[in-house]
Amino acid sequence: MSNSKSDKLFNEAKCVIPGGVNSPVRACGSVGGQPLFIQRGDKAKIWDVDGNAYIDYVLSWGPLILGHRHPAVIKKLEQILESGTSFGAPTELETILAQLVIDRVPSVEKIRMVNSGTEATMSAVRLARGYTKRDVIIKFDGCYHGHADTLLVAAGSGVATLGIPGSPGVPEKVIENTLSLTFNDVDEFIRVMEKIGDQVAGVILEPVAGNMGMVKPVNGFLETLREYTSKYGAVLIFDEVMTGFRVAKDSAQGLFGITPDLSCFGKVIGGGLPVGAYGGQKDIMNCIAPEGSVYQAGTLSGNPLAMAAGIATLQELENDEVYTLLEAKTKQFITGLQHAADANNIPLKTGHVGSMAGFFFTDADVSNFDDAKKCDLKRFAKFYRGMLEKGIYLAPSQFEACFVSIAHTNEDIEKTITEANEIMAGL
Ligand SMILES: *Cc1c(COP(=O)(O)O)cnc(C)c1O
């Protein structure tokens, strides 16, 4: 145990907050460390309370695609702050953010703002059930859709890191209509749909999985989901909370050319403030209260400050060149890691989609959660701790994605690769 300020603050936090954290993975349990308490962030860097600087590839778990304290976001927040923080009555900001999403993501005709990704997926599932008047929801092992009861089955990173199968407190009865299948297994999905397709309300997935590490959809997987949900009248829900405006300007659905019925957003659309959203075709979205009878509400939903951060962020992402730049930076980062591993004879599988990246310590391809779980977790933990000591802040679990922002400089990425080389040499 060190005498750092972070350790002291963690010990104090543990007395008053379960595990000392407000979200489990932050405790860094699986990599055998203690969390750093963060003092501040600027551009691609964060500083802990002991004054150490880190190049940040977590970016608040995805939202900060512009980096920390982007001037456009700060300016907009300051401007809105002048007029108040919350009214619980409509403001124009809500329509502006809704329009920004609708303009970029063609499948979204109407959208409802909520406060987190969890709320978005929970509400989308309720809507799918209300719209179809069916009960069964299909998800995929290793996909995380927030912590709503119905979806907390084989739910990836946080849960996997803790080594618990689902969660106590979720009654069997609540999840008896949730079916979790194998990600990327086209044949299994077809078999299940042919058997019970007419009872399925919705099929929900991360179009690029990011909560079992980063796993891309195999050719034909998304296409098959689209075909069979249409065939059986089930609602196809893309959970783009992580991928939305991250992997491409029109999100994963644009990148892969698949049109889901409903989409969930979060992270980037809040620009670092608490925002989630779900949207889709008008005829489905019009089932939500007060237009329809499927109930969903929120005291702080559409909060002016949260909308402001989202608007400023999406406006900065308007220019296509931003995505080209993000892609180039991410490629530099991830190929650099691959070369570092190759040079040191460390088996490593790497990949990226837009500015979402991932790496697994294994020599086998990873296409689902079982594959991901076979990776060398001890080696990951050692790599993670080594990199942290060198000032590189990666997500503290093999089952998480990494993110690059427009604020990451060539120098930041070069330094990251140089340090990775050194750490790999000692693995
Ligand atoms: C982060 C995440 C969620 C949950 O969002 P919260 O804001 O943490 O509730 C849901 N789905 C996916 C794909 C995510 O990455």
Side-chain angles (χ1 to χ4, degrees):
M1 176 79 67
S2 75
N3 290 317
S4 69
K5 267 193 204 166
S6 274
D7 285 353
K8 181 170 172 287
L9 290 179
F10 187 47
N11 286 332
E12 284 168 15
K14 278 194 285 192
C15 298
V16 290
I17 299 170
V21 290
N22 280 311
S23 196
V25 280
R26 292 181 201 169
C28 299
S30 72
V31 285
Q34 304 244 40
L36 298 173
F37 275 60
I38 304 303
Q39 182 88 283
R40 67 186 181 95
D42 190 48
K43 301 193 176 69
K45 291 208 182 75
I46 51 173
W47 284 262
D48 68 14
V49 287
D50 293 289
N52 304 305
Y54 303 88
I55 301 169
D56 184 10
Y57 292 94
V58 180
L59 299 172
S60 190
W61 303 90
L64 301 177
I65 195 166
L66 306 178
H68 295 269
R69 300 193 86 255
H70 189 280
V73 177
I74 300 297
K75 188 171 156 218
K76 185 88 182 161
L77 282 172
E78 282 171 350
Q79 180 202 333
I80 299 303
L81 201 48
E82 292 288 309
S83 44
T85 57
S86 186
F87 309 108
T91 64
E92 189 189 4
L93 296 166
E94 295 158 79
T95 313
I96 296 172
L97 185 56
Q99 194 64 54
L100 282 169
V101 177
I102 290 166
D103 287 347
R104 286 165 179 69
V105 186
S107 77
V108 178
E109 295 173 344
K110 280 193 175 182
I111 188 163
R112 171 62 65 83
M113 296 295 161
V114 292
N115 306 288
S116 68
T118 295
E119 263 189 85
T121 58
M122 178 188 79
S123 308
V125 162
R126 181 183 304 144
L127 176 57
R129 284 172 162 167
Y131 173 75
T132 58
K133 303 188 170 60
R134 299 173 182 176
D135 291 337
V136 175
I137 295 294
I138 292 178
K139 73 176 288 291
F140 296 90
D141 296 347
C143 282
Y144 177 65
H145 304 294
H147 64 90
D149 284 358
T150 329
L151 295 169
L152 208 53
V153 182
S157 56
V159 191
T161 302
L162 291 174
I164 48 180
S167 171
V170 178
E172 279 295 320
K173 275 233 167 300
V174 173
I175 52 170
E176 70 187 13
N177 285 308
T178 306
L179 210 57
S180 194
L181 306 181
T182 311
F183 193 76
N184 275 333
D185 190 336
V186 173
D187 295 337
E188 182 186 48
F189 180 73
I190 293 177
R191 250 190 341 267
V192 169
M193 287 303 278
E194 282 175 344
K195 207 160 144 206
I196 60 157
D198 58 355
Q199 299 163 44
V200 176
V203 175
I204 185 168
L205 84 159
E206 296 177 64
V208 178
N211 287 286
M212 49 175 138
M214 198 212 67
V215 180
K216 294 180 197 177
V218 295
N219 277 343
F221 182 57
L222 299 176
E223 289 79 358
T224 305
L225 299 191
R226 179 64 282 178
E227 184 188 340
Y228 279 78
T229 45
S230 295
K231 184 170 168 190
Y232 288 96
V235 176
L236 180 60
I237 308 168
F238 271 16
D239 177 354
E240 298 233 37
V241 171
M242 187 184 290
T243 53
F245 305 97
R246 165 60 71 182
V247 298
K249 187 172 172 181
D250 44 5
S251 303
Q253 52 196 275
L255 193 64
F256 294 105
I258 306 287
T259 306
D261 302 306
L262 290 179
S263 304
C264 301
F265 299 96
K267 300 193 169 119
V268 170
I269 66 157
L273 271 81
V275 182
Y278 63 107
Q281 289 168 32
K282 271 188 196 145
D283 66 321
I284 304 181
M285 290 304 289
N286 286 342
C287 296
I288 301 164
E291 192 131 353
S293 55
V294 177
Y295 194 70
Q296 184 271 310
T299 301
L300 290 169
S301 292
N303 173 267
L305 287 173
M307 295 298 102
I311 291 166
T313 300
L314 291 195
Q315 283 173 342
E316 287 300 309
L317 295 172
E318 184 108 56
N319 194 331
D320 291 337
E321 278 164 33
V322 176
Y323 284 93
T324 312
L325 192 67
L326 280 165
E327 166 95 29
K329 287 176 188 293
T330 312
K331 192 166 175 193
Q332 184 191 356
F333 162 66
I334 206 72
T335 51
L337 271 194
Q338 183 73 62
H339 290 156
D342 294 349
N344 292 289
N345 289 318
I346 305 278
L348 190 76
K349 290 280 175 187
T350 57
H352 79 284
V353 182
S355 57
M356 179 175 163
F359 58 93
F360 291 106
F361 284 98
T362 178
D363 53 10
D365 285 335
V366 176
S367 66
N368 60 44
F369 195 26
D370 277 340
D371 296 343
K373 284 191 285 196
K374 286 184 201 130
C375 295
D376 191 338
L377 300 183
K378 283 211 181 94
R379 187 169 258 173
F380 172 83
K382 204 170 168 200
F383 179 68
Y384 166 83
R385 287 195 303 269
M387 291 294 273
L388 191 66
E389 249 170 56
K390 299 281 187 186
I392 314 294
Y393 193 78
L394 300 168
S397 162
Q398 175 76 99
F399 304 118
E400 301 287 351
C402 323
F403 305 105
V404 175
S405 75
I406 58 165
H408 283 79
T409 61
N410 186 43
E411 211 177 14
D412 291 331
I413 298 172
E414 291 283 315
K415 175 176 159 60
T416 305
I417 295 166
T418 306
E419 302 298 6
N421 243 306
E422 202 165 307
I423 301 301
M424 296 268 190
L427 285 183

